[in-house]
Short mmCIF file of all heavy atoms in Angstrom, two decimals:
data_model
loop_
_atom_site.label_atom_id
_atom_site.label_comp_id
_atom_site.label_asym_id
_atom_site.label_seq_id
_atom_site.Cartn_x
_atom_site.Cartn_y
_atom_site.Cartn_z
N PRO A 10 -0.54 6.86 6.22
CA PRO A 10 0.80 7.50 6.46
C PRO A 10 1.95 6.51 6.49
O PRO A 10 1.72 5.36 6.76
CB PRO A 10 0.50 8.14 7.90
CG PRO A 10 -0.57 7.29 8.46
CD PRO A 10 -1.44 6.87 7.35
N ARG A 19 15.70 8.96 23.97
CA ARG A 19 15.55 10.28 23.64
C ARG A 19 16.24 10.60 22.34
O ARG A 19 15.76 11.33 21.47
CB ARG A 19 16.11 11.24 24.70
CG ARG A 19 15.70 12.79 24.49
CD ARG A 19 15.71 13.49 25.79
NE ARG A 19 16.98 13.59 26.40
CZ ARG A 19 17.72 14.73 26.41
NH1 ARG A 19 17.31 15.77 25.74
NH2 ARG A 19 18.83 14.80 26.99
N LEU A 52 21.28 -4.54 29.95
CA LEU A 52 22.21 -3.48 30.30
C LEU A 52 23.29 -3.87 31.17
O LEU A 52 24.20 -3.17 31.52
CB LEU A 52 21.46 -2.32 31.04
CG LEU A 52 20.40 -1.61 30.19
CD1 LEU A 52 19.67 -0.58 31.01
CD2 LEU A 52 20.95 -1.00 28.90
N PRO A 93 19.12 -8.64 6.86
CA PRO A 93 18.43 -9.89 6.57
C PRO A 93 17.87 -9.88 5.19
O PRO A 93 17.55 -8.75 4.62
CB PRO A 93 17.35 -9.91 7.64
CG PRO A 93 17.75 -9.08 8.72
CD PRO A 93 18.63 -8.01 8.07
N MET A 102 21.61 9.42 5.23
CA MET A 102 21.53 10.95 5.30
C MET A 102 22.78 11.66 5.53
O MET A 102 23.83 10.94 5.91
CB MET A 102 20.39 11.28 6.40
CG MET A 102 19.10 10.65 6.12
SD MET A 102 17.93 10.86 7.44
CE MET A 102 17.68 12.69 7.32
N THR A 130 33.26 3.00 28.79
CA THR A 130 32.85 2.73 27.50
C THR A 130 32.55 1.17 27.35
O THR A 130 33.28 0.43 27.94
CB THR A 130 33.80 3.17 26.40
OG1 THR A 130 33.35 2.78 25.05
CG2 THR A 130 35.18 2.44 26.55
N ARG A 143 46.46 5.60 26.24
CA ARG A 143 46.83 5.64 27.65
C ARG A 143 46.65 4.19 28.25
O ARG A 143 45.61 3.93 28.84
CB ARG A 143 45.83 6.54 28.45
CG ARG A 143 46.05 8.14 28.12
CD ARG A 143 47.27 8.67 28.88
NE ARG A 143 47.14 8.36 30.31
CZ ARG A 143 46.51 9.19 31.27
NH1 ARG A 143 45.99 10.33 30.85
NH2 ARG A 143 46.49 8.88 32.57
N ALA A 169 35.74 9.79 33.53
CA ALA A 169 35.41 10.39 32.18
C ALA A 169 34.70 9.23 31.45
O ALA A 169 34.85 8.03 31.79
CB ALA A 169 36.62 10.79 31.51
N GLU A 207 15.97 2.06 6.97
CA GLU A 207 15.75 0.72 6.53
C GLU A 207 14.31 0.44 6.00
O GLU A 207 13.40 1.01 6.71
CB GLU A 207 16.14 -0.24 7.56
CG GLU A 207 16.15 -1.73 7.14
CD GLU A 207 16.52 -2.73 8.29
OE1 GLU A 207 16.62 -2.24 9.40
OE2 GLU A 207 16.75 -3.92 8.06
N THR A 227 28.04 11.15 1.75
CA THR A 227 28.05 10.34 3.01
C THR A 227 27.80 8.89 2.71
O THR A 227 28.51 8.00 3.33
CB THR A 227 26.93 10.85 3.96
OG1 THR A 227 27.19 12.22 4.24
CG2 THR A 227 26.92 10.03 5.21
N ARG A 239 32.50 -5.46 7.11
CA ARG A 239 31.86 -6.66 6.57
C ARG A 239 33.02 -7.74 6.13
O ARG A 239 32.84 -8.91 6.45
CB ARG A 239 31.04 -6.31 5.28
CG ARG A 239 30.33 -7.49 4.70
CD ARG A 239 29.57 -7.02 3.47
NE ARG A 239 28.55 -5.99 3.67
CZ ARG A 239 28.65 -4.74 3.30
NH1 ARG A 239 29.73 -4.36 2.55
NH2 ARG A 239 27.75 -3.86 3.57
#
Side-chain angles (χ1 to χ4, degrees):
R19 191 155 68 101
L52 298 178
M102 302 174 66
T130 178
R143 287 284 306 270
E207 185 179 12
T227 299
R239 185 183 299 110

